[in-house]
Structures are given as C-alpha cells and as structure tokens.
Amino acid sequence: MCGIVGVLGTHEVAPILVEALRRLEYRGYDSAGIATVNNGHLDRRRAVGKLVNLSDLLVHDPLAGKSGIGHTRWATHGAPTTDNAHPHKAGPVAVVHNGIIENFRDLRTELSAAGYSFVTETDTETVALLTQKHIDEGLSHVDAAFKTIDRLDGAFALVFLFDGQDDLMIAARKGSPLAIGHGDGEVYVGSDAIALAPLTNEITYLEEGDRAVLTRSSIEIRTAKGALANREMKTIQVESTQVDKGGYKHFMAKEIFEQPSVLSNALGHYLGEDDTVVLPGDNVDFSKVDRLTMVACGTAYYACFTAKYWFEKLARLPVEVDIASEFRYREPPIVKGTTALFVSQSGETADTLAALRYCKDKADRIVSVVNVPESSIARESDLALPIHAGVEVGVASTKAFTCQLNVLLMLALKAAQDRGTMTPDAIRDAIGQLRALPGILNAAMDRDRTLAAAALKLSESRDVLFLGRGLMYPLALEGALKLKEISYIHAEAYASGELKHGPIALIDKTVPVVVMAPKDSLFDKTVSNMQEVMARGGKVLLITDAAGAEIAGPDVWQTVIMPKVPEIISPLLYALPAQLLAYHTAAAKGTDVDQPRNLAKSVTVE
Ligand code: F6R
C-alpha cells in the first residue's frame, strides 16, 4: 500500500529515487512522484499510472538536486489523478505518506478555518498543510513536523522534505513500516529494505511511534514521547533483496517455477537430522496447547484454512480460523490454553497486525508465520517462523502460499509429535513424503502446456466455479482467488458438498467448473458432485491424478493429470495447477499479470 523513499545523497537523486520506486512498485501503481531540493529550491514531478510514466516525464522535464523523496501510490482517498499524487506540497513542505490519516476531516476543517486551502482530495495533504501552518506560526522545520505528527490519528509512514533545506529529512512511523538506510555520507529512507538494496544493506528499522531527524552526517531517532531512542542497525542479506525476473516474462511465472527449489531450501530449515520437526527459535510444546486460533487475510487465510484440516486430523488439536478484518472487531473470547497464530507474507498487513495486537495479552503465546523476518508482525510475535520463500514480487501470491503451507504442515506434524497423536514412524513417513515433494513438483511442471491449453478455453468465460472437498476445498478457494485477481474473470469456490444447496443453480454450459480432486479418501463423493454438474450441461475441468482420471471417465470436458502424492501433502502439489491455470488465463487475456488492477502487495491499510 504505497511505497515511499527518501535520499539525502551526494549525486543527482532523481534516477536513484525512480530506481527505488521501481523496487517498491509492488506496493501500488496508481501514480508516482518525486520531489527534490535543488540549490535550496523545492520542486516536484508527478505522473498518473505506472512508474514508467514518471520516468518518461522526467526525460522531458528533469528534476535536479541531491536530496529528494518519492512515492508510488495505491489510492485510498481521492482518485488516481496527478493532483492527488504524492509528494504533496504546501508552502515550504513536501511530504510522502503510506497509510491513512483517520482524523483528516477534522484537520481539514481546522486548516480551512485558519485560511489554508486544499487542492487535492487526499488525507495526506492535511499533513503538509498542518506542517506549513506550524512553520508559519514560527516553529522550526523539525518542531513543525513533530507537532504535526503528534496530531495525526491512524496509520502512517511519512517522510518530509523542506524548501531551503537540502540536508534535512524527517521520517516518522506509526502502523506502517519504515527503514532507514546508512550510506557513506548519504542517508536513505524506504518502506522496506528491498527499496534501498542498491544503495545499502545496513538498515535501521523505526519502531512504532518513532520519528527521525536525518541529515547526511547524523541520524537522530526519538520515541513518540520525545526520548532519544537507540535502534539497532542490521545488515540485510543481499539475496533477501534480489528482485529480477530471472529470464521469465513475469515475476509470477518465475515465482511459480522456482517453487521446487524454494520449498526444498525451506524444508531444510525445519528438519532435524533424525527426521523430526525442529522449530527455529523457541520451542512450542503443543502438548500444552488446548486450542489454536489462526488469523490471516486472502491467500494467507487459505493457507490457514488448509492447516486447520492438518492440525485437527493429525494432531487432534481444535482450531479456529478467521479472516483478520472480521476477527479484529468481533472481540472473540480467547480462552486459556490458546496459542494465536498469524500468517502473513509481508508481515505488515494492517488487519492481521491489529488482530495480533488484540490477542497479545489474551493468548498464551503469539506465533507468526512470515516471509519478512523484520516485519512488524514478526517483531511483535513471541515466536516468528520464517517461510523462506525469498522476495515475492508478483502481486498474486504463489511461492509464499506453498511455503506457508510447508511451515504450517511442519507445525501440524510437530503438534502431532508433541501430542503423541502420530507415531514417530508415521511422522518420519510424512517427513519423507515432504522431502520427496520438491522433486515431484519439479516433474509436475511439465503440466504447464496442458494447463496453458485449458486456460485458453477458460479465458473465454465470464464466470468460473471451483469445487473441492476436504483438503481440496481451501485449494479451490485459492484457485478462484488467483483466477479472479489476475484475469478479472469472476470466480467462486464452493465445498463440493455445498453445491446442491444453492450454487448448482448457476450451472450451464457457459460456466466452466474446475474440480480439484486427487483420488483420495473423499474422491468418490466429489465425483458424485461432478456428475451432478455434468448432468446439468456443466463443463468440468478436472484436476486429478491418473487413478482419478480413469474413474471420472471420458465425459469430462478437460482433464489435467497430476502425479500421485499422499493425501496429506496434496495441497502443496495442487497449488501448482491452480496457479498455472490463473497465470495462463491472465496471459491469454493480456491482463497485467504482475500488477493487476486495483491491487497492491502489502496491504497496510484497513
Ligand atoms: C492474493 C494475495 C493476497 C494476500 C493478502 C495477505 O494473491 O496475495 O490475498 O495473501 O493480502 O497478505 P499478507 O500475506 O502479506 O498478509
């Protein structure tokens, strides 16, 4: 949700800002802009749409200066127009913002009454105007910005730049992440370390409420209460910030195809030498856990939903799974003996973070499963389990999903180990199956062409249904989400058994039904539901294994045959056809696979 960057440099800063924004574009791409101070003069350039439009503008209308801030926007308040694009400027102040200023209406009223006028529909403009007002009242730039920050409700990461000050930047964080980068006679600010990777790998993360006064030679961080804060500097691993397509046409394709190697590496982080599950960091003794509450959003929620089946079946552990945006306001009672588990690729999703904070003094322990170890969710957990997916750039989550599943299955096996619900041999067997998975996934990649052909037919549809039962139900949900978010085809998923309770009314020959059904313990039931679809003229795209295909027979519209795997690990394999189907459908339709409309990768607003 919006990427922000700031540089006090020793070279021309515009190209540096644009490159940093390119690395942040996954956070939003409705508009982009930069502001610089050149010979004391504050100026800016902004363009609607993707970053490339800003780059084009800068060719014709360059911006000089060695100090600057930049922004790539995911619109919240106000349409994606040039006027609403950041940086916002008021008098001598320019500001970029990620988050939402919740009391902006009150501030607007107050500023209007004081004679300040607005030229945008954004919440952010109030930040610039309020700071201008404080400067007009005689405060220094730093005091003016701090006084403004104290007045803001909501979530924000902010960077301020000032006319006449080419060696001053102010950064502040509350709710939205912000990293300070240390350079040689230079200083940087960015929404994450990825943005700053070409500049430095030495990073200090601001904590909640922190504000920093930055010059080329000094970094002063203060807490919300004004006390000087000493925040640790970390050296970031270079590979965790690498962002390239590796020869693929899209990041999403690269991320789908790298799953075998990524999973193989991820697995290694959780296995002991004797094929037992060993958690990194503090141990969780599941024999002392009575109940697991799992909370997440979107794809991460579907990973949790899959894990519910695992925890209940393998470890006989009662599990509640909820969507973070609902959980956080429902005020659910958290009973003694509950471990709360939060899953998030970015580790910054606002609703998931709020749900975590709700559980903090109620649950016995807060565990998170994250891809970004420095993220807010990781830092606020008692135990953060990394999924080791590497940077995921495609907005539609793929490898992070399978890596989340991987860690969650490890946790379920650990729970079974601790609770004695599986024998050590059965656990070793399951781990052996998991060890074999990367090879099987690799072999399954050759289904790509079959899935591309199926996707070509799917791309002509207006609506698509997905069906699954048991472990395949969450996978059907994930398949439908993937398809709708990148191909813009309306897709819904149902538990196969629910079909006849309503959705079957939708079936006709124009609505393909993707049935995800390996030949597992529930296959016969799913096949009956599939027959009900075909009996009503429905076209079934069946994703199954060889045994399933044989039973399903020749009347199925299209069949994709996957390798046979044990039921317990089938979600990790069947994620692949769900992803490839969506990918090829979107590619056939010519939509923007990596940056689908209206979406952003890191959802730091409610
Ligand atoms: C869909 C997708 C989203 C995210 C969701 C949660 O492909 O990526 O549904 O899964 O926004 O994001 P994280 O995992 O960062 O909390």
Side-chain angles (χ1 to χ4, degrees), residues 19-26 192-198 238-246 251 254-255 390-394 399:
E19 168 57 19
L21 291 178
R22 188 184 68 75
R23 301 168 74 84
L24 286 174
E25 213 182 2
Y26 71 90
D192 61 28
I194 299 170
L196 306 181
V238 178
E239 60 273 19
S240 70
T241 56
Q242 265 166 359
V243 179
D244 69 71
K245 289 188 192 153
F251 281 108
K254 178 196 164 215
E255 288 159 5
V391 180
E392 189 179 67
V393 178
K399 62 174 180 170

Side-chain angles (χ1 to χ4, degrees), residues 147-327:
K147 191 168 175 186
T148 298
I149 294 162
D150 286 337
R151 297 282 320 275
L152 305 178
D153 293 338
F156 52 80
L158 291 163
V159 188
F160 297 79
L161 196 68
F162 304 94
D163 192 68
Q165 300 278 342
D166 70 2
D167 194 20
L168 177 66
M169 244 179 351
I170 293 172
R173 123 160 232 186
K174 185 180 153 214
S176 303
L178 206 53
I180 294 176
H182 305 260
D184 188 8
E186 302 193 329
V187 65
Y188 323 106
V189 188
S191 293
D192 61 28
I194 299 170
L196 306 181
L199 303 166
T200 184
N201 64 346
E202 297 194 324
I203 299 290
T204 299
Y205 289 93
L206 291 188
E207 302 270 328
E208 271 307 88
D210 280 357
R211 54 211 58 186
V213 179
L214 309 169
T215 71
R216 286 178 181 79
S217 55
S218 65
I219 296 174
E220 185 184 292
I221 302 175
R222 290 189 178 271
T223 64
K225 293 197 171 129
L228 270 178
N230 193 7
R231 305 289 180 224
E232 188 191 347
M233 185 179 84
K234 300 192 168 173
T235 304
I236 304 295
Q237 301 296 326
V238 178
E239 60 273 19
S240 70
T241 56
Q242 265 166 359
V243 179
D244 69 71
K245 289 188 192 153
Y248 287 90
K249 193 167 172 204
H250 299 106
F251 281 108
M252 185 179 177
K254 178 196 164 215
E255 288 159 5
I256 291 174
F257 280 91
E258 72 189 8
Q259 288 178 108
S261 62
V262 169
L263 271 170
S264 163
N265 167 51
L267 204 60
H269 290 272
Y270 285 86
L271 293 182
E273 276 173 13
D274 52 349
D275 267 2
T276 51
V277 179
V278 180
L279 302 184
D282 284 355
N283 189 24
V284 181
D285 181 354
F286 280 96
S287 68
K288 299 201 169 75
V289 176
D290 298 330
R291 188 179 182 79
L292 199 57
T293 291
M294 301 176 77
V295 185
C297 301
T299 288
Y301 167 74
Y302 295 142
C304 293
F305 195 12
T306 312
K308 176 181 169 72
Y309 288 78
W310 284 327
F311 278 108
E312 289 180 350
K313 194 161 191 157
L314 304 177
R316 308 304 299 150
L317 182 61
V319 176
E320 178 205 23
V321 181
D322 211 344
I323 295 165
S325 55
E326 288 299 313
F327 180 90

Side-chain angles (χ1 to χ4, degrees), residues 297-300 343-347 349 395-397 404 481-482 485 603:
C297 301
T299 288
V343 179
S344 173
Q345 187 283 129
S346 62
T349 299
V395 164
S397 190
Q404 285 162 353
L481 175 64
K482 282 296 85 101
E485 71 181 321
V603 186

Side-chain angles (χ1 to χ4, degrees), residues 512-523:
V513 181
V514 179
V515 179
M516 309 193 64
K519 171 81 182 71
D520 59 15
S521 56
L522 299 173
F523 180 75

